[in-house]
């Protein structure tokens, strides 16, 4: 823009075939501080599946992140209902502790969650496993592990429709971004 003042950012467009390809372009535009707008879709990091995976990662790094916890505890569906979550959250609030503290206490979960206690405890075990891998595993491997162990990737495959295939492609592109980040 400085070398050619008659040319405006809005005079340019990038066309791509699949939404998953937008990540590479968006990363480059951000890196070079070039303003951009995605037309006909969402920015890569605003897509539901990307927000879900990033919420898993935030929860692994910071279990006190209750918003991330609430986003993924039943994503994909594990049979943990709103009423159960509300009961657990209320107990956490009354005790003045993060929701994670209640979930990571087996007796509290069994008392407060009743039938939902098994999937909650399995979820907690999975998050704790990946917390233990933070120091030794690269981000890409943690992403892949969470996608597999949580059932998130399998859930998208089982949906078997075009939207789910596109979402799976976006998640794979996030994995690629983590690999690229690790290499850089």
């Amino acid at each position: 823009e400085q070398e050619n003042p008659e040319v405006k950012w809005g005079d340019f467009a990038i066309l791509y075939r699949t939404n998953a390809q937008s990540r590479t372009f968006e990363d480059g535009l951000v890196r070079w501080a070039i303003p951009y707008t995605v037309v006909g879709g969402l920015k890569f990091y605003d897509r539901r599946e990307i927000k879900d995976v990033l919420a898993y990662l935030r929860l692994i790094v910071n279990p006190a992140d209750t918003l991330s916890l609430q986003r993924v505890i039943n994503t994909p569906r594990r049979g943990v209902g709103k009423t159960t979550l509300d009961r657990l959250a209320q107990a956490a609030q009354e005790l003045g502790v993060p929701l994670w503290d209640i979930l990571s206490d087996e007796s509290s979960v069994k008392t407060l969650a009743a039938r939902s206690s098994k999937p909650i405890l399995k979820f907690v075990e999975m998050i704790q496993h990946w917390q233990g891998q933070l120091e030794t595993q690269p981000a890409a491997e943690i992403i892949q592990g969470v996608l597999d162990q949580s059932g998130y990737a399998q859930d998208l495959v089982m949906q078997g429709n075009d939207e789910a295939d596109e979402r799976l492609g976006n998640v794979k592109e996030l994995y690629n971004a983590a690999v690229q980040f690790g290499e850089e």
Side-chain angles (χ1 to χ4, degrees):
E1 218 174 34
Q2 294 167 344
E3 290 180 20
N4 298 310
E6 69 282 357
V7 178
K8 304 289 181 231
W9 291 122
D11 294 340
F12 297 92
I14 300 173
L15 304 176
Y16 47 88
R17 189 175 286 277
T18 64
N19 284 332
Q21 293 174 309
S22 74
R23 198 257 328 154
T24 307
F25 293 118
E26 290 183 52
D27 286 353
L29 293 168
V30 168
R31 184 174 295 129
W32 291 96
I34 298 172
Y36 70 97
T37 303
V38 176
V39 177
L42 294 172
K43 290 183 177 182
F44 184 78
Y45 292 99
D46 288 344
R47 296 176 186 149
R48 178 178 69 186
E49 59 276 13
I50 302 305
K51 286 183 172 187
D52 289 344
V53 175
L54 293 178
Y56 269 108
L57 296 178
R58 278 194 305 273
L59 179 62
I60 290 166
V61 172
N62 177 16
D65 183 345
T66 300
L67 286 176
S68 292
L69 172 59
Q70 290 173 330
R71 181 177 189 104
V72 297
I73 192 165
N74 205 34
T75 305
R77 296 196 191 286
R78 302 186 166 82
V80 181
K82 182 178 176 354
T83 305
T84 300
L85 278 176
D86 289 346
R87 193 177 316 123
L88 292 163
Q90 183 179 356
Q93 187 175 14
E94 287 174 5
L95 293 172
V97 297
L99 178 56
W100 179 258
D101 290 2
I102 299 294
L103 296 182
S104 56
D105 179 55
E106 188 174 340
S107 61
S108 294
V109 171
K110 286 182 176 179
T111 302
L112 296 168
R115 292 178 303 177
S116 299
S117 63
K118 191 172 183 178
I120 290 173
L121 294 173
K122 188 175 176 186
F123 171 79
V124 168
E125 183 181 315
M126 176 190 66
I127 298 299
Q128 289 173 335
H129 167 78
W130 291 109
Q131 286 171 333
Q133 302 298 310
L134 281 175
E135 297 298 319
T136 59
Q137 295 293 323
E141 296 308 314
I142 293 175
I143 289 171
Q144 189 61 57
V146 167
L147 288 170
D148 292 342
Q149 196 175 355
S150 69
Y152 196 96
Q154 183 64 27
D155 183 59
L156 291 174
V157 170
M158 295 299 291
Q159 289 176 33
N161 58 40
D162 290 343
E163 180 188 346
D165 289 346
E166 186 172 313
R167 292 176 62 215
L168 188 58
N170 289 336
V171 168
K172 287 178 182 175
E173 185 57 29
L174 180 64
Y175 170 84
N176 293 340
V179 169
Q180 184 180 357
F181 177 78
E183 290 171 353
E184 289 174 3

